Amino acid sequence: MNSNEKLNTTITKFEEFFSTQYKDEVFDALEQYPDERSITINYNELEMFDPDLADHLIDAPEDIIKSAQTAIKNIDPLAQNADLNVRISNLTNIIPLNILLSKYIGTFVSSDGIIRKTDEIRPRIETGVFECRGCMKKYEVEQTSQNHIIEPSMCPNCGGRTFRLLQEESYYIDTQTARMQEPLENLSGGTEPKQMLMILEDDLVDELNPGDKVRITGTLKTFREERSGKFKNFIYVNHIEPLEQEFEELKISEEDEEQILELSRDPHIHEKIIQSTAPSIRGYRDVKKAIALQLFGGSAKLLEDETRLRGDIHILIVGDPGIGKSQMLKYVSKLAPRSIYTSGKGTTGAGLTAAAVRDELGGWSLEAGALVLGDQGNVCVDELDKMRSEDRSALHEALEQQTVSIAKAGIMATLNSRCSVLAAANPKFGRFDRYKALAEQIELPPPILSRFDLIFIVEDKPDVKNDSELAKHILKIHQENSVEYVIEPELLRKYIAYARKNSNPTLTDEAMEVLKEFYVSTRNSSTEEQGPVPITARQLEATIRLAEACAKIRLKEEVEAEDADAAVKLQLACLKEVGLDPDSGQIDIDKVEGRTPSSDREKMNKVTEEIGNMQEEYGDQAPLQALLDRLKEKYNISEEKAEQLIKNLRQKGVIYEPSHGYLKRS
């Protein structure tokens, strides 16, 4: 059978396929043409209709798709010569990007990934109209090359060989380039993700945004770069399928599912998961419990007015050097089914959110950063305090609204960053001081501190019993070169993915009562009228998320009172650790979030009052030393504390120093 006969047979088969299987869809698309420019056919249905035709599509996609387009024109009752695109969905030939190499060039493939960047939409000449410079006769030439214009070889009328392209009379098609990288769950630590260039045309342009998770189907092609002369692969995209389900890449078999369900019925499952979280690090039970809950996450909710309540839990670990903070973050970044690890020193605001970069033709495009690529996963930010303040501000919106808004190089965009953030920071002065406010010791502003659901302070205190156990533990790891796991990491990854996908627990009345009691009683624990505010609604929302995560660990449909109790205990332990004011002995949320604690506000009032009294005595100025002595005598405020309060008042502009050693109220 020669090539023409083969082509006619293929077209006839497609005519039969469309007439029997897709008659309504084809006629609907033809009626709506040119507004509707594509028809999508399911590869499985084509394979059932004719397995040879389906196999031929994989090996010679361009010929087969052209035959399908011709078949549609042939069965069009209106004979409008409609150029409908034939899109193929559910292709079984799914190949990971890292093995999509030269042997697949020219074949029809499908691959999953995250969109890294999208370039501007530009026109491409589909059919060029040329005018012979000798006799002015016009010719149409179909353009098949992506890089250069194909002219007619010779004018049949006059034999001339020079032509002029009539740009306004030529036919154009929209085209856009985009870049896709491997899904994060496919990466093992330390490997650079593989990237692939994609070309989108016609009605596929403007369908993708940076951060989207998609399955791309198309033909793998290659082109030669003009500058370097080297060849480069790209996918000429035929079909885009969004993959919004979480952790779709983790294959959970029936055997895995049985193991997961069996584990969820274990009464000690909470304990086992805590022990399996960073097992190479000894102790820090509360921190590990919080990290375990963060991996499972709460339930995100979309309200009727389009307001989104986040379900992701954000955790900040502040601690002395050498206690294993970075190791915990690294462990989580390997364990979480979709995760990114980044360190503060080498991270910019654009690297966290999105960068505006120039494409090959000089236009601007957006390239997704860590918070966008980590969408629906975990982002671990080490050394948060070492980041420049202007870069840290990129976190504000991402932590609470879980979006990243960009206004750069004329591009206005809002990208999703629905991820949990696990951050670590070191105290400013090397070691943590219990008696100083948290904000004084970390280079982090209150707006960022207030967005973390849990803040842990981990101190390195000498203790004979703990130190000997820790030494034994470290030495054993070095001797045996292995760590004992209660639950194997691979199974735990699948367990987390399964729970996040299938469990979406709702609050029961009993759990609501426990959470309400916690909020009301904690807020009203102070007997003084102007006492400190222990917690705000933010802490209540954080506790709800923790309770939902507790229920998710057991794959429950409802959050019960015991889950709420566990969440309340963890939240209180955290607040007592960070927010206990040593002067008043009460929890003060202002101390947690880096503002002035209630006890300090009272003392500041006393300082300004005394400066006012002394101004009257000493003729409009209060001597500093006399003021310090009086504060010690009257209110038992130490000289060090008084100097700190005076410094704060100076910064706020409440008092100033007209001459050295003298103070005055503003």
Side-chain angles (χ1 to χ4, degrees):
M1 194 187 288
N2 65 31
S3 57
N4 278 345
E5 286 174 343
K6 269 186 184 175
L7 182 65
N8 290 333
T9 309
T10 307
I11 292 168
T12 310
K13 280 181 182 175
F14 267 116
E15 285 175 17
E16 188 189 336
F17 175 70
F18 286 128
S19 302
T20 55
Q21 312 273 325
Y22 277 85
K23 192 174 183 179
D24 294 342
E25 288 90 334
V26 169
F27 288 170
D28 285 348
L30 286 167
E31 271 178 26
Q32 292 173 45
Y33 183 81
D35 297 329
E36 181 66 50
R37 299 190 52 79
S38 292
I39 176 164
T40 304
I41 62 174
N42 191 320
Y43 180 78
N44 295 334
E45 290 178 21
L46 181 66
E47 196 170 34
M48 284 166 71
F49 173 77
D50 189 327
D52 292 339
L53 192 60
D55 289 344
H56 202 25
L57 170 67
I58 301 288
D59 299 329
E62 290 193 341
D63 296 343
I64 298 298
I65 287 167
K66 271 185 187 165
S67 301
Q69 288 172 316
T70 308
I72 288 173
K73 288 179 187 175
N74 292 351
I75 62 169
D76 181 4
L78 303 170
Q80 57 187 329
N81 202 27
D83 270 325
L84 272 182
N85 299 306
V86 176
R87 310 273 181 221
I88 313 291
S89 67
N90 287 333
L91 191 73
T92 49
N93 194 27
I94 298 169
I95 296 153
L97 278 183
N98 61 333
I99 60 166
L100 199 58
L101 302 171
S102 54
K103 68 174 181 179
Y104 291 102
I105 290 172
T107 62
F108 207 52
V109 294
S110 204
S111 204
D112 296 351
I114 303 173
I115 301 305
R116 190 70 206 255
K117 75 170 205 173
T118 53
D119 294 334
E120 284 179 34
I121 298 168
R122 292 190 170 86
R124 174 178 78 79
I125 291 186
E126 196 175 23
T127 306
V129 177
F130 295 89
E131 184 182 73
C132 173
R133 290 184 187 272
C135 64
M136 303 299 180
K137 199 166 172 58
K138 292 178 185 176
Y139 299 97
E140 287 187 3
V141 179
E142 193 180 336
Q143 301 295 313
T144 53
S145 171
Q146 296 281 343
N147 296 346
H148 56 271
I149 302 232
I150 302 166
E151 291 188 353
S153 54
M154 190 179 79
C155 173
N157 193 40
C158 69
R161 290 182 181 274
T162 55
F163 296 88
R164 184 165 68 92
L165 174 68
L166 303 175
Q167 293 186 14
E168 287 76 18
E169 292 180 36
S170 298
Y171 303 97
Y172 294 86
I173 189 170
D174 289 324
T175 184
Q176 183 183 27
T177 57
R179 194 170 284 280
M180 174 170 82
Q181 79 168 40
E182 279 184 274
L184 296 170
E185 53 269 35
N186 284 10
L187 299 178
S188 53
T191 57
E192 190 182 337
K194 298 287 181 293
Q195 295 195 7
M196 178 62 73
L197 184 69
M198 298 182 297
I199 290 180
L200 311 152
E201 289 196 339
D202 204 8
D203 54 352
L204 290 180
V205 300
D206 216 15
E207 287 290 304
L208 298 173
N209 288 309
D212 288 354
K213 282 167 283 295
V214 289
R215 177 167 290 163
I216 294 292
T217 303
T219 310
L220 185 69
K221 295 185 173 187
T222 191
F223 73 95
R224 195 174 181 203
E225 286 184 320
E226 284 180 22
R227 242 178 283 162
S228 65
K230 291 180 180 175
F231 288 91
K232 197 172 189 179
N233 287 352
F234 69 92
I235 295 177
Y236 182 74
V237 180
N238 172 273
H239 183 258
I240 298 168
E241 184 188 336
L243 294 174
E244 267 307 309
Q245 320 93 327
E246 293 179 64
F247 318 124
E248 63 284 338
E249 277 302 304
L250 271 179
K251 299 284 181 285
I252 297 174
S253 62
E254 284 182 25
E255 192 184 322
D256 290 332
E257 194 171 345
E258 279 175 31
Q259 272 185 290
I260 288 165
L261 294 171
E262 193 183 324
L263 261 178
S264 71
R265 291 189 283 269
D266 187 330
H268 305 296
I269 182 65
H270 274 264
E271 197 56 47
K272 284 186 174 178
I273 286 173
I274 293 166
Q275 286 175 20
S276 302
T277 306
S280 61
I281 298 163
R282 187 175 175 80
Y284 313 122
R285 187 189 149 74
D286 278 353
V287 180
K288 288 184 178 183
K289 185 176 184 180
I291 289 172
L293 294 178
Q294 184 190 42
L295 287 167
F296 284 85
S299 304
K301 298 158 192 84
L302 191 66
L303 307 183
E304 284 178 13
D305 63 352
E306 295 297 303
T307 307
R308 188 177 178 276
L309 299 178
R310 69 175 164 98
D312 296 299
I313 297 162
H314 303 316
I315 299 171
L316 173 65
I317 305 168
V318 182
D320 298 336
I323 51 153
K325 298 189 298 295
S326 300
Q327 211 169 325
M328 279 189 206
L329 266 64
K330 278 277 186 194
Y331 186 82
V332 169
S333 72
K334 288 194 179 84
L335 182 67
R338 180 180 290 135
S339 184
I340 285 182
Y341 175 91
T342 176
S343 183
K345 198 74 174 169
T347 303
T348 62
L352 274 178
T353 53
V357 291
R358 278 198 183 277
D359 59 27
E360 289 83 1
L361 297 167
W364 288 97
S365 59
L366 279 185
E367 189 160 342
L371 291 165
V372 177
L373 292 176
D375 185 33
Q376 294 188 331
N378 277 60
V379 175
C380 301
V381 186
D382 203 358
E383 310 220 4
L384 186 66
D385 53 311
K386 306 286 190 303
M387 280 175 75
R388 295 182 309 169
S389 56
E390 57 267 33
D391 293 332
R392 261 201 313 264
S393 62
L395 282 166
H396 285 222
E397 183 195 353
L399 284 170
E400 198 57 56
Q401 277 72 42
Q402 297 205 295
T403 54
V404 166
S405 298
I406 297 293
K408 291 178 180 179
I411 301 168
M412 310 287 171
T414 300
L415 310 172
N416 285 324
S417 66
R418 297 157 296 182
C419 54
S420 306
V421 174
L422 175 61
N426 287 318
K428 201 193 297 184
F429 306 112
R431 291 206 172 263
F432 201 82
D433 185 343
R434 277 261 158 233
Y435 296 98
K436 283 186 179 167
L438 182 68
E440 285 176 44
Q441 301 188 66
I442 326 175
E443 298 271 9
L444 291 177
I448 286 215
L449 286 175
S450 68
R451 281 167 168 79
F452 283 102
D453 298 318
L454 295 170
I455 300 173
F456 287 98
I457 291 169
V458 186
E459 289 182 277
D460 187 10
K461 289 180 184 169
D463 179 293
V464 175
K465 189 184 173 202
N466 286 347
D467 291 349
S468 64
E469 284 180 9
L470 178 63
K472 205 187 293 177
H473 177 72
I474 292 169
L475 290 164
K476 191 180 175 188
I477 289 171
H478 279 269
Q479 184 187 38
E480 296 177 4
N481 210 14
S482 67
V483 177
E484 288 177 19
Y485 293 101
V486 181
I487 302 171
E488 285 297 318
E490 198 48 44
L491 178 59
L492 187 53
R493 279 187 93 198
K494 289 176 179 175
Y495 190 98
I496 293 164
Y498 185 87
R500 289 187 74 147
K501 201 171 178 180
N502 299 298
S503 176
N504 205 18
T506 52
L507 289 165
T508 59
D509 292 342
E510 293 81 6
M512 282 168 74
E513 196 53 47
V514 171
L515 294 166
K516 182 184 159 194
E517 174 59 30
F518 155 69
Y519 180 65
V520 175
S521 61
T522 312
R523 263 184 81 82
N524 296 281
S525 56
S526 176
T527 49
E528 303 161 39
E529 201 173 309
Q530 291 295 314
V533 176
I535 58 168
T536 62
R538 257 191 178 149
Q539 279 68 40
L540 176 61
E541 287 196 337
T543 315
I544 293 167
R545 287 191 280 272
L546 292 169
E548 287 168 348
C550 280
K552 260 191 191 182
I553 286 180
R554 290 192 189 278
L555 305 180
K556 291 197 282 194
E557 291 302 309
E558 291 185 327
V559 180
E560 293 166 4
E562 59 173 349
D563 302 312
D565 274 328
V568 166
K569 272 183 196 164
L570 190 61
Q571 185 65 268
L572 275 174
C574 235
L575 288 169
K576 280 177 183 164
E577 195 78 13
V578 183
L580 199 68
D581 190 339
D583 294 327
S584 65
Q586 293 175 327
I587 294 170
D588 188 344
I589 197 63
D590 291 324
K591 191 168 184 292
V592 179
E593 295 177 358
R595 293 182 289 269
T596 309
S598 145
S599 59
D600 278 10
R601 286 198 297 273
E602 286 171 28
K603 285 172 185 163
M604 281 179 178
N605 290 336
K606 285 168 184 169
V607 172
T608 47
E609 201 180 302
E610 282 305 321
I611 291 171
N613 294 339
M614 290 178 81
Q615 272 180 249
E616 291 172 20
E617 284 178 44
Y618 290 90
D620 209 29
Q621 288 185 16
L624 178 59
Q625 194 52 52
L627 174 68
L628 295 174
D629 294 341
R630 191 175 288 193
L631 289 170
K632 175 86 175 99
E633 195 181 306
K634 263 178 108 169
Y635 305 109
N636 198 26
I637 298 173
S638 70
E639 202 165 297
E640 188 191 355
K641 185 72 179 172
E643 281 174 351
Q644 186 196 325
L645 295 168
I646 289 164
K647 185 184 170 188
N648 286 352
L649 287 166
R650 267 205 212 107
Q651 285 171 348
K652 290 181 192 329
V654 179
I655 61 172
Y656 66 99
E657 196 170 358
S659 58
H660 187 65
Y662 290 89
L663 297 171
K664 191 174 179 180
R665 277 204 302 195
S666 297

